[in-house]
Amino acid sequence: MELIKRNIHMDRVKRSTVMQFTMEEDLNLPEDKPDISTLNLEKGEIVIEEIRPGTDEVTVRGKLGYAILYHTQEAGSSLILLSGALPFEEKIHMEGTLPSDTVAVDGTVEDFTVNMINSRKLNLQTLLCLTARIEEIYDEELPVGIREDNAGDGVEYRIAPMEVTQLAICKNDIFRKKEEIPLPSSYPNVYQILWSNISLRDVEMKPQEESISIRGDIQIFVLYEAEGEERSIRSYETTIPLDGTLECQGCRETLLPDIRYALVRQEHGQPELTIQPDLDGEERILGLECALELNIRLYEEEEIDILRDIYGVTKEVIPSTRDANVRQLLSRITGKTKITDHRQTDIGAPVLQILHSEGTVSIDHREITEEGIRLQGSIDLTVLCVTEKDETPYMSIREQIPYDYTLNVAGVTAGDQAQVHSELEQLQVNLLEGEELDVKAVLSFSTTVMKNVPVNAIEEVEEQEIDSAVLAGLPSAVIYITAPGDDLWSIGRKYHMPVNTVRELNALDSDELRPGQKILLVKGI
């Protein structure tokens, strides 16, 4: 007997692990850099260059890019940028990993601290976190019927519908954005960029016919040294639209998107922002060239008929089964929460003005509860401000603002696949009376929850002749009083009779039946 089978295309995270390691390095200033007076701003970014899976381990090679802004007492510019990169190579132990596996690794900087040893030497200490996961695309083969020439009157089989979520498109891609941003006429020409930050806000991606629509905002901040004898320090902040489409063969509007994105970081921890001349040859154009790394998963929901059971009427039909799993979409949900906090500046001088604030959201702990997915973490906040100190007017404040939020996902369990994406959607920092910061933020969390549904899949069917003694013992008709849990299918299977020959009879004396019981007449062929 030949079964009709169908492949269900799915993906899953086969295995994942998290590794933390520290890096410490003493940095000597290059000869062309002036002495350090005080440190101002610093940040680090991980750039993954190579991922090499092996047996029970994954080798990760990359760089820690750093950017350090400091004050100098020497004549000329008061702010100096020091940037560079430190290479690293780490082995992550992952039991069961094979060289043929597809491994994805995300890197984050948990802590980045710079201390001044002397005016020509710095000490850099950082805690890095690598999250590795083995992603697998696989097919689950399920029976959906029996070939018509095999399905005679002597075979009874049961088909039941089932919702499945199939993987329609799986790919990684890069979306590039290039823009020229002219400075307003009230701003002086740019001599050199000292510090910059590029961040994304309100990003939305939707599948279209043969493409993916990308919408959002790009927030740009730049601190620069102006042209002229005084070399004054100026800052400029603006927002430009993120608007475009990415070609995606086979994409359709009806597909369900699960698209993760991240800005591609440059080697030295600074975004790609350059100075370009305008039509008059003056350095007044900021050239932006950034790229988004996209991890694209597009799913399709479909109801398919699954062959659930089979038995023979004139022959013994013995199915052999195996345990299988299919994916069902439980929920696609986005949640937002508002965070408010007050923090003392504690920098030893009154703050005159806040120039810029930036932050990143980290998820430190997640837990499945009855209400959904509980998330705990913090906003790593950096505030650049102007103080009353004439010798070091620019100073920065770093704070961690905690949050505790539950993403309401009904029915989620620990065995479901749910990767949560966090985003700092809004951030506003105001100055209160020169010594206190008023922080207001909106955090956005999104997830696509896939539920694993176990299926007892029929693998193959064996036919045998029914034992003559069993066949002789089968009645041609039976009056059957049902028990709890009985159905027509199980009764037909018990007596090797077609399901359509089981009929309900009217009880002559209904008082003799308990609630829920029925009298059935089971007839043979």
Side-chain angles (χ1 to χ4, degrees):
M1 182 175 297
E2 187 177 358
L3 301 178
I4 302 173
K5 295 185 178 182
R6 178 172 172 179
N7 286 332
I8 310 300
H9 199 51
M10 294 177 289
D11 68 325
R12 62 188 171 196
V13 177
K14 185 178 177 182
R15 194 173 292 105
S16 64
T17 188
V18 177
M19 173 192 176
Q20 288 184 328
F21 66 99
T22 59
M23 290 183 68
E24 183 173 0
E25 189 78 17
D26 289 341
L27 303 176
N28 294 309
L29 288 186
E31 293 183 0
D32 60 340
K33 297 287 184 182
D35 288 356
I36 302 169
S37 171
T38 57
L39 297 175
N40 192 319
L41 275 171
E42 63 272 344
K43 64 180 172 182
E45 297 283 354
I46 288 183
V47 179
I48 304 294
E49 296 181 326
E50 182 183 7
I51 302 170
R52 193 167 62 249
T55 303
D56 296 331
E57 66 179 17
V58 178
T59 302
V60 181
R61 189 174 62 83
K63 290 181 179 179
L64 170 67
Y66 62 85
I68 303 169
L69 191 67
Y70 68 87
H71 276 289
T72 179
Q73 296 294 346
E74 296 188 9
S77 176
S78 62
L79 288 176
I80 301 296
L81 175 65
L82 174 67
S83 61
L86 301 175
F88 67 84
E89 183 172 315
E90 293 292 327
K91 292 185 183 296
I92 304 175
H93 178 73
M94 290 185 72
E95 194 74 29
T97 304
L98 299 173
S100 58
D101 286 335
T102 300
V103 182
V105 178
D106 296 324
T108 55
V109 180
E110 298 287 324
D111 182 63
F112 189 83
T113 304
V114 180
N115 295 309
M116 185 172 144
I117 299 175
N118 56 50
S119 62
R120 303 292 302 173
K121 194 172 187 177
L122 298 174
N123 175 258
L124 187 152
Q125 297 178 353
T126 183
L127 175 64
L128 308 180
C129 179
L130 297 177
T131 303
R133 61 188 181 276
I134 300 175
E135 299 176 337
E136 182 182 44
I137 298 175
Y138 67 103
D139 287 339
E140 194 73 81
E141 192 177 56
L142 298 179
V144 295
I146 300 174
R147 296 209 178 275
E148 293 184 1
D149 54 346
N150 297 137
D153 293 335
V155 176
E156 294 284 308
Y157 59 94
R158 179 164 58 177
I159 298 290
M162 186 177 191
E163 290 284 346
V164 298
T165 303
Q166 294 196 76
L167 179 65
I169 296 175
C170 173
K171 60 182 291 190
N172 294 323
D173 212 330
I174 292 181
F175 176 78
R176 301 186 184 277
K177 175 70 173 180
K178 195 172 183 179
E179 193 80 21
E180 292 185 351
I181 307 164
L183 287 176
S185 58
S186 58
Y187 283 75
N189 294 351
V190 181
Y191 175 71
Q192 66 173 340
I193 294 176
L194 298 172
W195 194 265
S196 59
N197 183 69
I198 297 174
S199 57
L200 304 178
R201 296 286 188 269
D202 298 330
V203 178
E204 184 180 20
M205 301 188 186
K206 291 183 177 180
Q208 298 178 334
E209 294 300 320
E210 301 297 326
S211 66
I212 296 174
S213 167
I214 302 175
R215 301 287 184 272
D217 293 322
I218 304 177
Q219 290 191 347
I220 301 167
F221 169 78
V222 59
L223 186 73
Y224 70 92
E225 188 177 17
E227 287 184 349
E229 294 182 1
E230 295 183 358
R231 297 282 178 87
S232 61
I233 306 297
R234 299 296 298 269
S235 66
Y236 177 63
E237 194 162 11
T238 187
T239 300
I240 64 173
L242 174 66
D243 190 353
T245 57
L246 181 72
E247 290 186 6
C248 184
Q249 188 174 0
C251 186
R252 305 187 302 277
E253 290 185 11
T254 55
L255 297 181
L256 305 174
D258 183 17
I259 304 174
R260 305 302 174 188
Y261 61 88
L263 271 174
V264 179
R265 297 300 180 181
Q266 302 303 313
E267 183 178 284
H268 293 169
Q270 289 274 71
E272 191 64 35
L273 205 60
T274 58
I275 312 168
Q276 299 177 6
D278 61 8
L279 295 177
D280 298 326
E282 296 183 338
E283 305 287 349
R284 301 190 54 79
I285 302 293
L286 299 176
L288 169 67
E289 189 171 349
C290 65
L292 273 69
E293 284 184 335
L294 303 178
N295 180 264
I296 301 170
R297 300 288 189 274
L298 298 177
Y299 297 94
E300 183 176 22
E301 285 188 294
E302 184 181 359
E303 183 179 278
I304 63 174
D305 293 329
I306 303 293
L307 179 64
R308 292 290 193 175
D309 200 0
I310 186 171
Y311 70 88
V313 174
T314 59
K315 288 186 177 182
E316 189 76 42
V317 176
I318 305 171
S320 60
T321 62
R322 63 177 177 86
D323 293 332
N325 282 280
V326 297
R327 304 273 297 282
Q328 287 182 350
L329 177 67
L330 177 65
S331 179
R332 291 180 64 244
I333 191 168
T334 298
K336 298 181 181 181
T337 182
K338 294 182 179 180
I339 305 295
T340 59
D341 206 333
H342 285 183
R343 293 297 172 100
Q344 295 294 323
T345 56
D346 294 332
I347 56 176
V351 177
L352 298 177
Q353 179 188 0
I354 293 177
L355 290 181
H356 173 65
S357 59
E358 59 187 70
T360 57
V361 183
S362 61
I363 301 175
D364 302 325
H365 177 73
R366 54 172 283 171
E367 177 186 4
I368 303 298
T369 67
E370 293 182 358
E371 291 77 23
I373 305 175
R374 184 184 180 189
L375 304 169
Q376 294 173 298
S378 63
I379 305 171
D380 297 321
L381 179 67
T382 301
V383 181
L384 177 63
C385 52
V386 180
T387 72
E388 289 185 353
K389 284 188 175 182
D390 293 334
E391 65 276 10
T392 55
Y394 298 94
M395 301 187 72
S396 64
I397 302 166
R398 297 176 66 181
E399 296 285 348
Q400 283 194 329
I401 312 296
Y403 70 84
D404 190 332
Y405 176 70
T406 298
L407 193 58
N408 294 319
V409 184
V412 65
T413 64
D416 298 335
Q417 183 169 317
Q419 184 180 353
V420 180
H421 178 74
S422 60
E423 181 180 346
L424 182 61
E425 192 167 287
Q426 296 179 27
L427 176 63
Q428 183 178 1
V429 180
N430 296 316
L431 186 63
L432 301 178
E433 299 180 357
E435 295 182 356
E436 190 175 18
L437 300 178
D438 176 44
V439 182
K440 295 179 180 178
V442 176
L443 310 185
S444 174
F445 302 94
S446 61
T447 185
T448 299
V449 183
M450 294 290 187
K451 180 173 286 294
N452 290 318
V453 180
V455 177
N456 192 25
I458 298 176
E459 187 72 10
E460 57 183 24
V461 177
E462 180 184 355
E463 291 183 280
Q464 297 178 357
E465 294 295 331
I466 300 180
D467 187 281
S468 58
V470 173
L471 193 60
L474 290 177
S476 59
V478 176
I479 301 298
Y480 186 88
I481 300 178
T482 62
D486 282 348
D487 58 13
L488 303 185
W489 178 264
S490 60
I491 295 168
R493 168 187 276 277
K494 181 176 181 180
Y495 294 103
H496 285 271
M497 295 183 179
V499 176
N500 59 11
T501 64
V502 182
R503 296 286 185 269
E504 183 177 348
L505 300 178
N506 295 323
L508 298 178
D509 188 354
S510 59
D511 294 337
E512 296 180 2
L513 299 179
R514 293 191 297 273
Q517 285 188 323
K518 297 178 181 179
I519 296 180
L520 301 179
L521 173 63
V522 185
K523 292 184 177 181
I525 299 176

